[in-house]
Amino acid sequence: MDECRPSALGGALIDVTLKGGLFRRLLPPPAARPVWDLWHEGPPRERNAWARFPTEGRSEWLRFAKVCGGPEEPGTVCEMDGRYATDIPGLHCAIGEAVGGPGHRWHQCWNALRGCRCGGEAPSAPFTLVWHAADVARQALAGVSVDTDGEVDYFDAVVPFLERMGVTVVLR
């Protein structure tokens, strides 16, 4: 550590100046700060609070979000607002919010879409996900593939994956 001083942002914060390449990789992306500031106030109570952030901020949001295993009651219908699911972290934020409410993420091994051996995790109870504005994600993720050959779009892999997990998906 080269220098430590009271932060220009005030309060009990301090600014630390580090030199050397090793520590640069440990620093959060600039988009993290606004997310940290929002969560510092406590978990969000409003829907789509994550939507205002760019992709890096949405990824950071998922690190803060409380994990949920899905609805506890079989047959629960979860309504997903897909208007802001314009990237992979946004899609995961929207699904988590639909399943657990604001500030939640659904505990799921999304790497299963890319062939991870975990295979994914079934929800606590089977439920229905009504995905409003599904075409937003379909268009936004059209160029994002889950396979190395680039043949399967992320959106086209998500729906069957959710269905294999016991989720009934209704696209609107």
Side-chain angles (χ1 to χ4, degrees), residues 4-16:
C4 179
R5 62 195 170 285
S7 177
L9 297 175
L13 300 174
I14 60 169
D15 291 337
V16 177

Side-chain angles (χ1 to χ4, degrees), residues 8-162:
L9 297 175
L13 300 174
I14 60 169
D15 291 337
V16 177
T17 302
L18 304 172
K19 290 189 178 177
L22 175 65
F23 294 107
R24 289 181 198 269
R25 285 183 268 152
L26 299 176
L27 297 175
R33 181 57 192 247
V35 175
W36 292 4
D37 289 344
L38 189 141
W39 278 85
H40 179 71
E41 303 291 320
R45 293 190 173 108
E46 66 191 55
R47 291 199 170 271
N48 297 320
W50 55 268
R52 70 184 91 165
F53 300 109
T55 301
E56 283 182 331
R58 292 172 177 194
S59 293
E60 193 69 16
W61 182 276
L62 291 167
R63 291 181 50 187
F64 280 94
K66 183 178 178 184
V67 174
C68 67
E72 297 296 323
E73 294 294 321
T76 298
V77 176
C78 301
E79 304 278 336
M80 180 177 137
D81 181 353
R83 293 177 296 164
Y84 308 106
T86 57
D87 51 26
I88 292 172
L91 176 60
H92 295 177
C93 287
I95 291 173
E97 191 167 271
V99 172
H104 284 82
R105 68 179 169 88
W106 183 31
H107 180 66
Q108 187 52 253
C109 178
W110 295 105
N111 289 330
L113 291 170
R114 299 186 189 276
C116 177
R117 292 185 184 183
C118 69
E121 300 176 27
S124 309
F127 66 93
T128 298
L129 179 69
V130 178
W131 186 339
H132 298 278
D135 283 344
V136 170
R138 182 187 309 273
Q139 292 170 3
L141 300 174
V144 180
S145 66
V146 296
D147 61 331
T148 54
D149 297 332
E151 295 177 4
V152 181
D153 287 339
Y154 199 90
F155 179 89
D156 293 332
V158 166
V159 174
F161 173 70
L162 292 171

